[in-house]
Amino acid sequence: MATYVLVHGAWHNGRCWERVVPLLASAGHRVAAPSLTGYGDKAHLLGPEVGLDTHADDIVELITENDLTDVILVGHSYAGLVISSAANRVPERIAHLVYLDAMVPEDGESAVDVQPVTQALIDRAARSGTGWRIPPMPELPPPLGLFGVTDPADVAWLRAMLSDQPVFCLQQPVRLDNPATRAIPRTHIHCVADVPEGITRRPVPPTQPNGTPAQVWELPTGHDCMITMPAELTELLLKLG
């Protein structure tokens, strides 16, 4: 039995994994898909002080308080920074890092460094008067949709779970100063259909930090693959367990 911890990205909450969790669980694995501070059942905690460290704390506390080990830690989008930071604190508990169409930071980088278009969102929030919080991205014309989701029923379901993103999450740098973190195997899963203008993806180095060849898989869908291709995503994740 493997243990999967699934971490949602910006604006989302843990409910976005509802189509993946039962598939992993039915295969006999332990699965946690928490909502980070400020989202879902923790929406009342949203505030300007919520940052990347807050969200890394959420994941580290989940892992340590439940005494989880050999964790396959999956981070979607912004949560690539979250899982990197969490692994830096408890590398001995992490068996694998999965960057799911995610930001992959170097030590000292923020979301703005990894994905420069993020700064435009922060600037827009400042001009509009929302200040420390950035509203969810708007739905775009097909085939882009809402985070790559285009089915009307799915768009409505996704929109109902989205909430504002604190600016501090995108500005706070990640700390990756624990050499033990480099030994953790990594897998990158890229969603390769219809990437919005301005979104860039850094090339994955051919060699992982632990010295082994890089592992990169692709899914022919938009960004929120846990909604659009849950079975296919689960099939890939099961290869790691």
Side-chain angles (χ1 to χ4, degrees):
M1 180 183 74
T3 298
Y4 292 85
V5 175
L6 312 177
V7 188
H8 66 82
W11 298 289
H12 293 55
N13 66 46
R15 289 184 58 212
C16 70
W17 302 102
E18 285 185 358
R19 296 176 180 177
V20 174
V21 169
L23 298 178
L24 290 172
S26 66
H29 302 298
R30 186 176 186 179
V31 190
S35 290
L36 299 172
T37 295
Y39 304 95
D41 60 338
K42 299 178 182 177
H44 61 288
L45 300 176
L46 185 69
E49 74 287 349
V50 174
L52 173 61
D53 284 352
T54 311
H55 292 157
D57 288 343
D58 291 337
I59 301 306
V60 171
E61 289 171 9
L62 171 73
I63 290 171
T64 57
E65 289 179 3
N66 291 281
D67 195 24
L68 303 181
T69 57
D70 296 324
V71 173
I72 298 172
L73 188 55
V74 182
H76 178 243
S77 196
Y78 153 76
L81 281 77
V82 178
I83 67 170
S84 296
S85 182
N88 188 69
R89 302 187 199 180
V90 288
E92 72 282 357
R93 293 180 177 268
I94 310 301
H96 209 107
L97 290 170
V98 181
Y99 292 89
L100 179 57
D101 219 34
M103 300 182 186
V104 185
E106 299 292 339
D107 183 36
E109 289 188 324
S110 68
V112 172
D113 297 312
V114 180
Q115 190 61 257
V117 72
T118 303
Q119 185 61 52
L121 302 178
I122 295 172
D123 294 341
R124 185 183 306 163
R127 290 193 302 269
S128 67
T130 57
W132 60 267
R133 52 201 296 166
I134 302 174
M137 300 290 287
E139 184 178 355
L140 299 173
L144 297 173
L146 185 62
F147 295 101
V149 178
T150 56
D151 178 83
D154 287 346
V155 168
W157 177 61
L158 173 58
R159 187 180 299 283
M161 76 176 73
L162 298 179
S163 56
D164 291 354
Q165 178 78 4
V167 166
F168 191 37
C169 294
L170 307 177
Q171 295 175 323
Q172 190 169 31
V174 65
R175 294 192 299 274
L176 302 177
D177 54 3
N178 189 339
T181 308
R182 297 180 60 83
I184 302 172
R186 298 182 177 191
T187 292
H188 303 263
I189 301 176
H190 294 163
C191 300
V192 296
D194 302 313
V195 179
E197 183 179 356
I199 301 298
T200 58
R201 180 184 292 128
R202 288 179 174 175
V204 176
T207 303
Q208 299 188 62
N210 66 3
T212 63
Q215 182 161 258
V216 181
W217 296 330
E218 294 184 346
L219 287 173
T221 188
H223 188 54
D224 277 8
C225 58
M226 72 288 290
I227 295 174
T228 57
M229 297 189 76
E232 294 84 352
L233 173 59
T234 299
E235 183 178 354
L236 294 180
L237 294 178
L238 287 173
K239 293 180 180 181
L240 306 175

